[in-house]
Amino acid sequence: MRTLVIPALLLALVFLTTRLPAPPAAFRPAEEVSTVTAPPAAAPNAHYPSNRPPLVPSPLVKLPIGAVEPRGWLMAQLQLMRDGFTGRLGEISRFLGEDSGWITLKGKGWEEMPYWLKGYGDLGYLLKDAAMRKETERWLHYAFVSQARDGYFGPADNREARDLWPNMVMLAALQSFYEATADRRVLSLMSRYFQYEFHLPAEDLLPGSWQKLRGGENLESVYWLYNRTGESFLLDLARKIHARTSDWASPILTAERDRSWVESSFYHGVNIAMGFRYPGIFYQQTRAKSLLDAVERNYRLVMDRYGRQPGGMFGADENIRPGKEDPRQGAETCTMVEFMASFESLLKITGDPVWADRAEEVAFNSLPASMTPDLKGLHYLTAANLISCDSGAEHDFQNSGTLVSFDPWSYRCCQHNVAFGWPYLAEHVWLATADNGLAAAIYAPSAVTAKVAEGSEVTIVEETDYPFGDEVRLDVACERPVAFPLYMRLPGWARNVRISVNGVAVPGSFRGGRFAVIRRTWRHGDQVRLDFAPVIETVTWPSIRGAVSVRRGPLWYALKIGEDRRRYGGTEEWPAYEILPATPWNYGLVAGPEGAPPAVDLAVRRTPPYQPFTPEAAPIVLKARARRVPAWREEGRMAGPVPASPAAGEGPVEEVDLIPMGCARLRISSFPVVRD
Ligand SMILES: [Zn+2]
């Protein structure tokens, strides 16, 4: 009898243990947590299209539009865009009417409509807005029906001018449409169009002008299609396009470039923001590391000389100009959104988190100040030190006319091109990884739903007030336990990041500039917390005569200047207005004892409201001790160049408010240092 009972008991035991729910897996930091410089890319991601051989595998991979769901303040930017001038640009733009060359296919139809559609379409997909999708498809319809037998599509005027630049922008709008809808007409149109390009005599492919400088956009679209169809002629076309595009691998700032119009346009801010990344695009085919080195070298060349300012931009108030390196020189709004898009592209190609740092710096500190808080108007130029957004034309900028007042009717290129800034950023908040995991690449309130491991779907909700909050909470939701790597960017500015999983702290802390990765079997309800612990830092710019700027984590800070808003044009519904200073701006920050950096303290922390990017709503306010610097005067409605530090202060020491520079349209963010 005994011999029978024991096996029965054993069986019951086995049955019970297999049927009982698995106990919560203990978190074992030593085995599960590590850091890497980039997610490994031995093979392509199994679920989402990325580089197929022979292209170099992509460490980070874009998820289909819709996988990332923006929330909180980021969702607010998209909703304000929809209700503001991006969503309603057709009411005021003279390029979006029924006479557009993109509809008639006869008259003029250049970059403006595609610039707008490229962002408007993505905005509609992200907001799941049926009316916007319909409007997007209305414009795309004309592109589909315009395709000629030889593969060309779009306005005939552009074909006659042998100008492929507007189509490069339209290709991006078509790609997004495909990512959102899987409409195969896109693949067919692009394949036939690239056949057209492939059969063009070399001298007719990108013969000059903007298209020659911007051919890398076309190149990126060729790889996008290759990764979906694998047509081998596309790799030959890619080589041809690269050969016909201006050489962005050689140093950008060389005097020899002044010989021709095209060469001098290497100095144009928007061209630099786009072109510097092109060697990195072609690297995917050649795998020549020297091309990635050229990207970083050219970025550095420009930023070390013209980017001596907070906010991630460089002074190019049309072109970069020797001698115009002070933070009062402006950056064009197009330059901001193109710079961000280049960083997002390089982030996926290299997996290097520094590109996410750079995208965040522009997005959080510069882009919001290029637009009005209701996103119903923008200006052409934004500067780190900007004391008057007036409609006058006497500023020391290279371009002429009104450049800094806020006007929904003007600034033709930026007016349309700004549309893709926030949507593209939102799409890169979460990325897939080559090893079938997920990466929190750019931090913002959001949720992501995506396939991992062998194809299980997981949702991760990211709760955070970042960049205004210091902590990020990631909540995992999945039907059954699934093992996959979860990467979290450790921002380059961070020195002391703390991580915990399900309340268990990872011992020690982490420095920024890498990804932390947790490899474990994730269960529903698992929670990761990141505490970035930013500190207030005073950064000195030796080449701006010892000027200082204040940063705390991802945000830079500017003097809060009173705003006097005056309408000068436009309509009741779409006003154009100036913002003039209502309080003094010429302050220096008081040095600490014995020449120590100025002391700055945290004064106010609050939950970000719906639209945090206004002076009144600033979720963080710092206090600094400051004195007026009488010799620092207005020059032609601009702040004079920052005086050498230490500057001569006058009058009493005052306590001034510093607010995130993204909240400040009038701002001083590079200060001289004064003594008390
Ligand atoms: Zn522009």
Side-chain angles (χ1 to χ4, degrees), residues 111 115 270 332-335 380 411-415 417:
E111 66 183 11
Y115 260 167
V270 186
E332 188 182 328
T333 304
C334 282
T335 308
Y380 191 71
Y411 314 123
R412 174 174 166 172
C413 52
C414 308
Q415 182 191 25
N417 198 18

Side-chain angles (χ1 to χ4, degrees), residues 418-669:
V418 72
F420 84 116
W422 284 125
Y424 271 40
L425 185 93
E427 290 163 22
H428 288 81
V429 166
W430 286 93
L431 295 168
T433 59
D435 52 358
N436 300 327
L438 286 172
I442 287 169
Y443 290 106
S446 61
V448 62
T449 299
K451 286 180 182 164
V452 294
E454 303 301 319
S456 303
E457 196 170 85
V458 298
T459 295
I460 301 177
V461 175
E462 177 174 344
E463 287 223 29
T464 184
D465 290 334
Y466 191 97
F468 305 104
D470 305 340
E471 291 179 10
V472 169
R473 199 179 86 190
L474 305 176
D475 288 301
V476 178
C478 50
E479 266 189 27
R480 58 184 69 85
V482 54
F484 69 94
L486 175 61
Y487 292 83
M488 291 147 293
R489 178 178 130 258
L490 303 171
W493 48 261
R495 302 280 172 274
N496 213 8
V497 186
R498 295 191 173 274
I499 303 174
S500 67
V501 177
N502 297 339
V504 179
V506 178
S509 66
F510 296 87
R511 276 186 83 83
R514 297 168 70 86
F515 279 97
V517 52
I518 304 177
R519 295 173 194 279
R520 74 187 314 250
T521 299
W522 296 95
R523 286 168 166 75
H524 187 83
D526 276 354
Q527 189 183 84
V528 181
R529 287 185 90 107
L530 299 161
D531 180 357
F532 294 120
V535 293
I536 298 171
E537 294 172 85
T538 310
V539 175
T540 303
W541 308 96
S543 51
I544 303 291
R545 300 166 295 282
V548 293
S549 297
V550 176
R551 80 177 299 169
R552 183 181 179 281
L555 299 179
W556 292 91
Y557 286 78
L559 177 72
K560 183 178 180 181
I561 300 172
E563 290 188 349
D564 177 8
R565 287 170 55 142
R566 295 183 188 175
R567 182 176 156 197
Y568 72 93
T571 62
E572 204 61 43
E573 181 65 25
W574 298 103
Y577 59 84
E578 304 180 304
I579 303 181
L580 307 176
T583 54
W585 57 267
N586 57 344
Y587 285 96
L589 299 187
V590 176
E594 294 171 29
V600 181
D601 299 310
L602 187 60
V604 176
R605 293 288 307 270
R606 52 191 165 216
T607 305
Y610 183 71
Q611 171 54 294
F613 294 111
T614 74
E616 303 76 32
I620 303 177
V621 180
L622 308 182
K623 292 268 185 209
R625 298 170 72 231
R627 292 178 81 194
R628 302 285 296 280
V629 178
W632 194 13
R633 295 195 193 93
E634 185 179 315
E635 291 178 3
R637 310 194 83 172
M638 297 168 85
V642 187
S645 296
E650 213 174 272
V653 172
E654 300 173 47
E655 203 167 61
V656 295
D657 284 351
L658 306 183
I659 57 174
M661 67 186 284
C663 302
R665 283 148 192 89
L666 300 179
R667 67 259 282 267
I668 293 291
S669 56

Side-chain angles (χ1 to χ4, degrees), residues 137-351:
E137 288 183 39
R138 185 174 78 88
W139 286 97
L140 291 173
H141 165 78
Y142 297 112
F144 288 123
V145 300
S146 74
Q147 192 157 36
R149 290 175 71 92
D150 65 0
Y152 182 82
F153 76 95
D157 278 27
N158 297 337
R159 184 209 276 262
E160 279 154 32
R162 296 185 303 162
D163 185 359
L164 302 181
W165 158 241
N167 277 8
M168 295 183 204
V169 188
M170 197 60 176
L171 288 171
L174 286 158
Q175 289 162 213
S176 287
F177 177 62
Y178 179 81
E179 289 177 22
T181 65
D183 189 323
R184 297 188 67 81
R185 284 181 301 165
V186 173
L187 304 186
S188 159
L189 176 143
M190 288 177 69
S191 179
R192 290 170 60 205
Y193 178 64
F194 290 147
Q195 285 284 356
Y196 162 81
E197 287 189 337
F198 186 60
H199 290 106
L200 279 178
E203 62 274 20
D204 288 342
L205 180 67
L206 316 179
S209 179
W210 263 189
Q211 56 174 324
K212 187 162 200 66
L213 287 143
R214 299 177 174 182
E217 308 299 317
N218 202 333
L219 181 65
E220 201 164 39
S221 291
V222 169
Y223 291 144
W224 182 93
L225 186 66
Y226 174 73
N227 290 333
R228 281 156 184 82
T229 67
E231 294 162 281
S232 59
F233 85 93
L234 293 169
L235 296 182
D236 297 328
L237 174 63
R239 278 191 207 91
K240 194 172 162 182
I241 289 172
H242 175 75
R244 293 289 301 162
T245 300
S246 302
D247 174 18
W248 286 98
S250 63
I252 287 179
L253 309 181
T254 52
E256 306 86 71
R257 295 211 187 281
D258 284 324
R259 287 185 195 144
S260 69
W261 182 87
V262 163
E263 292 294 297
S264 69
S265 295
F266 270 96
Y267 294 123
H268 178 51
V270 186
N271 289 342
I272 290 171
M274 299 163 82
F276 90 98
R277 88 171 186 284
Y278 296 163
I281 306 294
F282 194 51
Y283 152 81
Q284 297 176 98
Q285 187 166 358
T286 66
R287 303 185 180 220
K289 178 78 172 28
S290 58
L291 291 172
L292 289 182
D293 295 342
V295 171
E296 183 64 23
R297 185 189 61 224
N298 277 334
Y299 174 82
R300 279 273 139 243
L301 271 174
V302 172
M303 295 305 284
D304 286 351
R305 182 142 176 205
Y306 298 95
R308 303 161 183 173
Q309 52 180 286
M313 293 305 301
F314 55 96
D317 39 35
E318 198 58 25
N319 297 342
I320 50 177
R321 294 181 291 158
K324 304 294 179 187
E325 292 126 19
D326 189 86
R328 68 183 189 156
Q329 305 305 145
E332 188 182 328
T333 304
C334 282
T335 308
M336 294 182 195
V337 290
E338 296 290 356
F339 222 15
M340 284 166 54
S342 286
F343 299 154
E344 289 150 9
S345 172
L346 291 163
L347 171 66
K348 288 174 289 188
I349 292 168
T350 65

Side-chain angles (χ1 to χ4, degrees), residues 112-147:
E112 293 83 4
M113 192 289 286
Y115 260 167
W116 164 76
L117 189 65
K118 175 180 161 189
Y120 177 89
D122 285 45
L123 184 61
Y125 312 137
L126 285 165
L127 292 169
K128 300 179 169 60
D129 185 304
M132 293 179 74
R133 267 175 97 124
K134 202 170 160 207
E135 176 67 1
T136 303
E137 288 183 39
R138 185 174 78 88
W139 286 97
L140 291 173
H141 165 78
Y142 297 112
F144 288 123
V145 300
S146 74
Q147 192 157 36

